Amino acid sequence: MTLENFRNLHLTPEVERIAAVLSAAGESHRLTEAEALTLLREAPLALLGTWAAARKRAVSGDAVYYNRNIHIEPTNICVFRCRFCSYRRPAGDAEAWYHDLDAVERLAAERRGEPITEVHIVGGVHPDHDLDYYCEMIRRVKRQLPQVAVKAYTAVELHYIISRAGLSLNEGLRRLQAAGMEAIPGGGAEIFDPEIRERICPEKPTADEWLATHEAAHGLGLSTNCTILYGHIETYEHRIDHLRRLRELQDRTGGFDAFIPLKYRSRHNEMTAAGEVSLPEDMRMMAIARLYLDNIPHIKAYWPMLGIEATELALSFGADDIDGTIDDTTKIYSMAGAEVQQPRLSTERMQQLVRSAGFSPVERDTFYRPVSHG
């Protein structure tokens, strides 16, 4: 693509300069923080989408990935009180739930015989759960579903329970790994900037602690995802700073499989007045993630958060993964007012969504290996 293609977009001088560099250097040019910030602020959305789509095709061709997965959310009782959270409830609340180990095992047993490849376990940080409890939960799920990969516990959960056990991150993660944990989801990152973090989730582990947990996991061969929570009180500068820290960690370890931009949803929490950003802003965030995070192979459009139509659109803005079937087993976004209140998609519907966007659906496992049921 050449700069001439974008002359009619009336680019600002700085965006035109960046466009010229990108057009000349192509994939070999790594965006600086300043350039990423300029593009996020000033670049026409069409330009960002065109570049992000080209970068996506360079990485994964026509493929868009999905998997057959379920979520197990053992509890929404949590020791933390994040202001943006619509999910947490105190013990005894009518909307609180708690699945003990036997109940978690029953939930897994109900899925025996189904062609799922991943069980995703996240929930509130329950005050009474220790490391042994978390290890036993994984063992019980694997006992019922030995063929699935268990992707379990955010860095927030992991840091809390491992610290509470008096162990190093490596020691705690090794115990969970021995119990059957094979990957770690990306939640809990929120925004890394300390001042914003202090305003929205002051009790949570710090950004450095979140990053250290993932770095330790990568050192043990555990693949992980990473996220951002955007669209509340943060600025564009905070977003790019967040992406920079993820890119720097990925440069050191190469352990992130996917990045998921998570849109703040404003219902039923203490930050409702912040509102929600628009669909174009969602696409802007998706595109800049693909362009700036040049060392993270997959960018996920998480359909329970974005909605079906926005997820399809995101595939033209750099996303190459739409997550999984889920089968109505997560409440994190539905409780915050997301459009999808009962998150469930058949594999046929997911394939149709991908083809409608002009791509080829590829079923994957947790580690992005193609899955065939033939």
Side-chain angles (χ1 to χ4, degrees):
M1 84 191 62
T2 67
L3 182 57
E4 293 301 321
N5 299 130
F6 304 108
R7 291 294 186 191
N8 62 341
L9 294 178
H10 307 293
L11 306 181
T12 66
E14 180 61 13
V15 172
E16 186 166 325
R17 182 195 67 77
I18 297 168
V21 172
L22 290 175
S23 297
E27 296 169 38
S28 65
H29 179 74
R30 181 173 238 199
L31 286 178
T32 66
E33 286 178 76
E35 289 170 340
L37 184 57
T38 296
L39 293 180
L40 192 54
R41 281 176 170 162
E42 301 177 20
L45 188 57
L47 179 61
L48 284 179
T50 299
W51 274 334
R55 183 68 59 86
K56 174 259 178 283
R57 289 188 182 276
V59 173
S60 52
D62 289 334
V64 168
Y65 298 93
Y66 70 94
N67 71 340
R68 302 188 197 221
N69 65 342
I70 61 166
H71 288 221
I72 293 179
E73 297 175 353
T75 185
N76 65 342
I77 299 169
C78 187
V79 297
F80 301 122
R81 293 175 173 82
C82 301
R83 295 188 60 228
F84 58 79
C85 183
S86 307
Y87 181 79
R88 176 197 181 272
R89 295 293 185 273
D93 188 276
E95 292 186 304
W97 71 81
Y98 171 71
H99 301 308
D100 63 16
L101 291 173
D102 289 340
V104 168
E105 186 168 6
R106 284 195 299 273
L107 289 171
E110 290 171 0
R111 303 297 177 148
R112 283 199 302 247
E114 297 182 13
I116 60 173
T117 59
E118 176 183 291
V119 174
H120 182 288
I121 307 176
V122 296
V125 183
H126 195 285
D128 298 331
H129 291 177
D130 59 15
L131 182 59
D132 290 335
Y133 187 97
Y134 278 72
C135 289
E136 179 62 15
M137 185 182 299
I138 294 171
R139 283 192 287 266
R140 298 242 191 152
V141 170
K142 291 291 283 187
R143 183 161 66 196
Q144 297 300 326
L145 298 169
Q147 80 284 3
V148 306
V150 173
K151 178 187 287 183
Y153 315 135
T154 67
V156 170
E157 295 170 270
L158 292 168
H159 188 274
Y160 180 85
I161 60 172
I162 292 171
S163 298
R164 188 176 174 188
L167 301 175
S168 70
L169 285 170
N170 276 357
E171 290 168 332
L173 289 169
R174 284 186 187 280
R175 287 183 56 180
L176 290 156
Q177 197 173 19
M181 183 179 76
E182 297 167 74
I184 295 172
E190 323 313 358
I191 287 287
F192 289 151
D193 179 82
E195 292 184 6
I196 297 296
R197 207 169 182 85
E198 179 64 25
R199 292 171 62 186
I200 68 174
C201 53
E203 300 165 309
K204 260 186 177 163
T206 66
D208 286 343
E209 289 166 338
W210 188 98
L211 291 162
T213 302
H214 281 265
E215 185 162 11
H218 297 169
L220 295 174
L222 289 162
S223 62
T224 79
N225 289 341
C226 52
T227 61
I228 187 173
L229 182 71
Y230 72 92
H232 42 90
I233 63 171
E234 89 290 355
T235 65
Y236 282 167
E237 287 88 350
H238 296 136
R239 293 190 202 177
I240 298 302
D241 172 70
H242 188 102
L243 298 186
R244 174 188 59 79
R245 300 192 204 197
L246 293 175
R247 191 168 78 171
E248 288 176 351
L249 177 54
Q250 184 74 343
D251 279 342
R252 293 197 301 274
T253 68
F256 288 129
D257 281 339
F259 171 73
I260 309 114
L262 296 174
K263 175 177 182 167
Y264 165 69
R265 291 288 186 173
S266 63
R267 293 184 62 186
H268 311 306
N269 61 60
E270 295 179 26
M271 290 172 51
T272 297
E276 296 180 6
V277 296
S278 65
L279 177 60
E281 186 67 17
D282 295 329
M283 297 304 107
R284 187 171 290 275
M285 186 67 218
M286 195 70 62
I288 206 68
R290 171 59 78 181
L291 293 170
Y292 185 79
L293 296 175
D294 53 11
N295 55 1
I296 297 180
H298 304 290
I299 305 295
K300 183 182 293 188
Y302 185 53
W303 68 263
M305 175 269 288
L306 282 174
I308 305 302
E309 292 181 359
T311 295
E312 182 177 332
L313 183 60
L315 300 182
S316 297
F317 284 84
D320 72 341
D321 186 278
I322 58 174
D323 202 78
T325 48
I326 295 177
D327 201 21
D328 195 19
T329 54
T330 181
K331 298 181 181 179
I332 291 174
Y333 269 94
S334 60
M335 292 177 74
E339 296 170 22
V340 182
Q341 288 297 297
Q342 293 182 300
R344 175 189 289 117
L345 281 183
S346 67
T347 54
E348 293 77 16
R349 181 69 183 92
M350 299 189 91
Q351 292 166 0
Q352 180 188 45
L353 185 159
V354 172
R355 290 193 180 103
S356 294
F359 296 95
S360 300
V362 177
E363 183 175 349
R364 63 165 176 86
D365 67 7
T366 298
F367 312 102
Y368 285 87
R369 298 174 300 209
V371 171
S372 172
H373 295 280

